[in-house]
Amino acid sequence: MTCRAVLRGLVEEEEMGILDWFRNRTAQFDAERVSDETVRWAVDRAIELTNPRLKLLPDHHKRLAPAVETMIAFLRTQIPALPAVRMLSQSAWSADPALRAFFVAPADVALPLGHADNLRALFDSSPELDEAYLVLGMAFAEQRVFGMALHGNVVQRDVAQTSVSFSDHRTRICDRDEALLRRAIGVQLFEYLVGHALAEIGEERSERQELQGSRSLIRARLRLLQQHGPGLGSMFGEAPAARSEQARLEAELLENERQLEAIGGGESTLEAELECLQNVLAKPQACLLIEPAHLRLSPMNVVLEPGSSEPAAEVDFAVATLSGTPPMRRAFIIARVARSELPPPQQINFADASRYL
């Protein structure tokens, strides 16, 4: 399982796309209005994705609702960290210092849009739509370098500096307007948290399966050892198994049974899964964090100090940190893009392809 997905979307998001498990879901998640309807929807969705059998537990909704409310309250604190909308176009590149920091050249702006299948599908299904809103996620790297710096009128060499770079531009989350897009981001963040809980539950399920498989093997080998002792084993000329070997396998079997009992089974397994889901949703800050970022950058994407006299551009974006497997850190912006900026669909050149057959 995984996002590959704010993130398989923001990031997928990764990819933080950041988690498209509900093919036909509606974006009803509203992090700014914690209504009973929102809580009920979130509880039902979390159970639907994790394990529908959790509905068999008594008071499952009542027990999960407080954790969901905590999660929603946390997401509300993340809303201010979302960056302001900026126009995403090749023509805006020269006038927008942020786009110049994110993309090396104006033509690079069209590359992620050309691979944005969700955006293309949105425009195709809405002929009346002239523009759409999207989340553009980017890999964000910082590197310590040595270069030249201007202090007053003096140029200093071999000055320790921090250089930043943006790459792997992707966009998977999009919608008709900004409000719907922000709600979609809330859904993606929520789904990421549920996915994190599901990953932990999956690890426990795998452990149970391994223990059950180990128990079967131990029991089978123990039977063979017992059969190759006095009785049929002697008839076929097999030497009786050493009692110490039987005792060792019996001890392993008992330990295996103890571990299975500790994990629990049946209703206890469902209880453990519900508790895992509660713990993750009640502590969302342990799984994800969105932080605003503001940098003063030179034309070469070198971070400049406030007192620097070099030409600088103020660049704003946000950074999403996800603690999944593997952990992920992605920069992103919210952008508005015109239909005319979408490159035409790529066509397969069958003549060129035939050369490789």
Side-chain angles (χ1 to χ4, degrees), residues 1 50 192-202 276-278 280-281:
M1 114 4 28
T50 305
Y192 176 79
L193 291 170
V194 177
H196 193 93
L198 187 58
E200 293 187 5
I201 292 172
C276 179
L277 187 57
Q278 286 176 304
V280 171
L281 296 183

Side-chain angles (χ1 to χ4, degrees), residues 160-200:
Q161 300 172 327
T162 298
S163 174
V164 300
S165 62
F166 301 86
S167 60
D168 190 30
H169 302 75
R170 304 186 189 188
T171 177
R172 290 184 172 84
I173 305 177
C174 61
D175 222 312
R176 304 172 62 91
D177 59 47
E178 182 181 354
L180 289 175
L181 179 66
R182 290 179 180 271
R183 295 177 74 183
I185 293 173
V187 172
Q188 293 279 327
L189 293 172
F190 163 65
E191 291 182 2
Y192 176 79
L193 291 170
V194 177
H196 193 93
L198 187 58
E200 293 187 5

Side-chain angles (χ1 to χ4, degrees), residues 12-60:
E12 218 144 23
E13 45 205 5
E14 73 208 278
E15 200 181 42
M16 282 98 116
I18 187 179
L19 310 167
D20 193 12
W21 295 314
F22 306 122
R23 292 178 179 270
N24 299 313
R25 70 183 184 277
T26 55
Q28 8 179 346
F29 187 86
D30 191 344
E32 297 181 357
R33 185 172 59 90
V34 187
S35 64
D36 292 341
E37 180 185 3
T38 298
V39 173
R40 190 180 307 110
W41 174 86
V43 169
D44 290 343
R45 286 301 195 186
I47 290 178
E48 176 184 337
L49 176 61
T50 305
N51 184 353
R53 295 182 66 243
L54 293 177
K55 293 180 180 179
L56 300 176
L57 294 176
D59 298 328
H60 63 275

Side-chain angles (χ1 to χ4, degrees), residues 50-51 67 72 78 142 190 211 233 249 268 337 343:
T50 305
N51 184 353
I72 294 175
Q78 299 294 283
E142 298 174 289
F190 163 65
L211 287 171
L249 287 173
S268 62
V337 61

Side-chain angles (χ1 to χ4, degrees), residues 192 196 284-288 321-328:
Y192 176 79
H196 193 93
Q285 65 277 9
C287 304
L288 65 89
T321 303
L322 309 180
S323 62
T325 304
M328 193 178 305

